[in-house]
Amino acid sequence: MRLHLLAMGLLATLAACAPIPMSEPPTRRAMAVGERPAANLVAGCVANYRADTDYFPDKAAFAYSAQLRVEYHGHWKRVTFRPSVDTREVLRLVLVQCGTPPPKLGPRDTLVEIPVRDFATANVSLLGASELLGIDDRLKGVPTRNVSIPAIAARIESGETIPIYAAQHGNGEQAAALGADLFFTFYSAYPDANIHPLLKRLGVVSAPQADHTEPTPLGRAEWIKYLALFFNLEKRANQLFDERAARYVELRALTANVEARPLVQLGYPESRDEWSQAGGRNQLYRMIEDAGGRHAWHDNAIAGSLTYAPMEKLFDRAAGAEVWLGNFMPGAADMATLRRDHPRLTWLRAVQGGRVYWFDAGKVGPFANSWSDQGMTEPQDALAELIAILHPELLKPPAKQRFIRKIPGGAA
């Protein structure tokens, strides 16, 4: 992770020298709204505010997320974000319908006028959700030029969406230069890496985004509702989430009673001496369990990431894992390359048996693939692929892997 951030930080520094084209956000027009609106106002401002009117008949609620809650108050919403990681911070966002008066704000409240007209993100996880919600045409800035979603890639190519090389955690100066209504920041487990305090000083309205530290896949997928709140698109988000959650639950039921549960090791070699992996409360481990597997770190209570150095420390628990599931860093092209670059890993049972898989199918560039861009909103597809790997007797693999790639080359 540290090497990745260093490399992306260098790109951010170089990119900061290039001018960011400025453009005015779309003009909001005032609209008369009835006493009992039939739907949320997805464009424009209220022209005839009434204090006793509920301007959000379409509402969302978070049933799975461990970090998010939302309250509705007629013409405004309050979103509370309590991070799963221990940063000792609680953030509150007050979303006020355009054309209505703001409520009294507390010291931790951030005011956001909605519906948001345009936005930028430092987290590629939101790209797939943006396309599903139909708001990718409002996307002014993304953290990288390489994305797996054709419509957004086309916008980048045409210059309508600007790559700001935000190193996931964000680039404050470029975020300010974009002039977007809202900037979604990547929320880090390391407080010093979070840039929302800097953005506030720069006058940039920002919102944290931390799907990656949810303890369950469905909790992570609910972040599409979080994005929708800023655009009054709760009805659409509820429909999208419910469809995916129903399929996930259906697939999970396939493995509920399996007795043989393969041991799975998650993570990747960050360097020749360090191993990085998700903590035992991360949603990827829950997906392994839901797919009929088990993992060696069930007693670990961390929702973020862990680093082991020297790398041999992981062998105490993981050397006997039948399957190795790599994530984040791009995987090796083949098993021969993996063994050449990391000879110590040939001790792993998964490497010896040729059962090494990686979340990098559909790779379009460094750290850019279908899982990074679309995995948040499609946990049911990733679960299906994982079940087919761990229990092929229960589910056949899809004709084309969307998220998980088997490292070719076979056993040693």
Side-chain angles (χ1 to χ4, degrees):
M1 176 70 80
R2 289 194 294 273
L3 291 176
H4 167 58
L5 294 178
L6 180 61
M8 293 298 285
L10 177 59
L11 286 174
T13 301
L14 295 174
C17 299
I20 300 292
M22 299 286 289
S23 61
E24 291 295 326
T27 302
R28 286 191 174 106
R29 59 190 182 93
M31 302 174 62
V33 179
E35 293 184 16
R36 295 183 179 178
N40 294 1
L41 193 63
V42 298
C45 301
V46 172
N48 55 335
Y49 168 68
R50 301 180 184 87
D52 58 350
T53 297
D54 181 2
Y55 289 96
F56 308 117
D58 301 323
K59 296 177 172 60
F62 295 99
Y64 296 90
S65 173
Q67 304 178 102
L68 296 172
R69 294 294 180 268
V70 60
E71 313 158 22
Y72 288 84
H73 300 275
H75 67 284
W76 60 280
K77 321 167 193 179
R78 177 183 284 121
V79 185
T80 301
F81 167 55
R82 297 179 182 274
S84 292
V85 292
D86 187 19
T87 56
R88 301 180 182 181
E89 182 178 33
V90 177
L91 296 174
R92 296 183 177 90
L93 299 125
V94 175
L95 283 51
V96 180
Q97 172 61 51
C98 177
T100 70
K104 183 179 180 180
L105 299 179
R108 294 182 177 177
D109 292 341
T110 296
L111 181 67
V112 185
E113 194 172 58
I114 59 171
V116 167
R117 294 169 294 181
D118 51 23
F119 69 107
T121 178
N123 194 342
V124 292
S125 294
L126 287 184
L127 300 183
S130 300
E131 183 190 40
L132 287 172
L133 290 172
I135 55 175
D136 49 303
D137 60 342
R138 307 190 202 182
L139 191 54
K140 291 191 71 172
V142 293
T144 176
R145 175 171 292 279
N146 300 306
V147 300
S148 70
I149 302 168
I152 298 178
R155 287 183 57 85
I156 295 171
E157 185 65 26
S158 68
E160 296 173 283
T161 298
I162 307 300
I164 58 176
Y165 302 100
Q168 296 288 348
H169 292 69
N171 184 303
E173 292 79 3
Q174 292 193 354
L178 278 174
D181 274 355
L182 184 63
F183 185 77
F184 289 97
T185 65
F186 180 93
Y187 194 86
S188 174
Y190 305 98
D192 290 345
N194 283 317
I195 70 162
H196 54 273
L198 168 64
L199 292 175
K200 187 172 184 179
R201 294 196 297 271
L202 292 174
V204 177
V205 180
S206 67
Q209 209 273 342
D211 65 287
H212 53 291
T213 56
E214 284 289 342
T216 67
L218 291 181
R220 183 188 184 210
E222 268 197 318
W223 281 75
I224 192 173
K225 298 180 186 178
Y226 175 76
L227 177 62
L229 289 170
F230 296 90
F231 299 87
N232 286 341
L233 290 170
E234 284 95 327
K235 183 177 181 180
R236 174 66 174 154
N238 288 337
Q239 177 188 2
L240 290 165
F241 174 80
D242 289 347
E243 292 170 355
R244 285 154 176 77
R247 177 58 176 159
Y248 190 97
V249 171
E250 180 184 10
L251 288 166
R252 184 175 60 191
L254 293 177
T255 68
N257 298 315
V258 296
E259 294 183 2
R261 292 179 172 266
L263 184 64
V264 179
Q265 171 59 34
L266 183 69
Y268 60 92
E270 187 170 327
S271 68
R272 289 185 178 273
D273 297 313
E274 295 180 319
W275 179 272
S276 183
Q277 66 179 46
R281 286 190 63 244
N282 190 271
Q283 48 86 22
L284 279 174
Y285 281 121
R286 178 60 66 85
M287 184 177 288
I288 289 170
E289 294 172 348
D290 290 345
R294 57 193 176 92
H295 65 87
W297 312 93
H298 56 85
D299 57 344
N300 182 279
I302 295 177
S305 60
L306 303 169
T307 299
Y308 288 90
M311 190 183 295
E312 283 82 359
K313 285 186 176 181
L314 77 95
F315 293 161
D316 292 340
R317 295 194 182 195
E322 298 166 60
V323 174
W324 171 13
L325 188 63
N327 66 304
F328 188 70
M329 297 285 282
D334 51 45
M335 293 297 289
T337 303
L338 174 64
R339 296 186 186 103
R340 182 199 68 200
D341 292 346
H342 299 283
R344 282 174 292 179
L345 297 182
T346 58
W347 297 350
L348 295 177
R349 179 182 177 186
V351 175
Q352 293 174 358
R355 300 192 68 188
V356 180
Y357 301 82
W358 223 274
F359 273 101
D360 66 356
K363 180 182 176 183
V364 293
F367 311 103
N369 51 57
S370 299
W371 178 250
S372 62
D373 296 356
Q374 303 169 55
M376 182 185 89
T377 50
E378 309 293 351
Q380 76 290 345
D381 287 349
L383 180 63
E385 293 182 20
L386 194 50
I387 291 174
I389 290 169
L390 300 181
H391 294 282
E393 75 281 4
L394 297 178
L395 197 65
K396 292 182 179 180
K400 183 179 180 180
Q401 299 292 107
R402 182 176 185 180
F403 296 126
I404 305 176
R405 175 179 67 98
K406 188 177 191 297
I407 304 296

